[in-house]
Amino acid sequence: QVQLVESGGGLVQPGGSLKLSCAASGSIFSINTMGWYRQAPGKERELVATITSGGTTNYADSVKGRFAISRDNAKNTVYLQMNSLKPEDTAVYYCNTEARTYGGPYKGYWGKGTLVTVSS
């Protein structure tokens, strides 16, 4: 199994910054894509950003130019630097990865989420 643990959420004022981290652990053989999704109250979960093992990134239009995703393959960790935060960025942010355990196929895994609140 693969476990994902997010950290770095919290309360921030509009215009502020936060950096989220997500570390993957367990019997990991390899990790493909890692990413961040978010779910605001009363809304469906949506893609924020993804990054492949080779470093190719993809962003939702709503966060382009403000958020930056990165990863440390040696640490099996993905980061999300969030700048110029807006109240509409308020949501629970979930880490997601496609990973393979020893002897197993690639599967999708989710973290439990970390709350980001943007408010004055």
Side-chain angles (χ1 to χ4, degrees), residues 49 59 63 66-70 79-83:
Y59 295 93
V63 306
R66 300 188 298 123
F67 291 10
I69 190 170
S70 61
Y79 306 96
L80 185 69
Q81 177 67 46
M82 304 185 293
N83 300 323

Side-chain angles (χ1 to χ4, degrees), residues 57-111:
T57 58
N58 179 52
Y59 295 93
D61 288 342
S62 59
V63 306
K64 282 181 181 177
R66 300 188 298 123
F67 291 10
I69 190 170
S70 61
R71 65 190 282 174
D72 184 332
N73 291 330
K75 296 181 178 179
N76 291 332
T77 299
V78 62
Y79 306 96
L80 185 69
Q81 177 67 46
M82 304 185 293
N83 300 323
S84 302
L85 282 160
K86 305 175 181 180
E88 51 263 43
D89 294 318
T90 295
V92 177
Y93 283 70
Y94 296 92
C95 178
N96 172 269
T97 187
E98 185 182 48
R100 181 181 172 191
T101 57
Y102 290 94
Y106 277 104
K107 292 173 59 178
Y109 296 90
W110 291 94

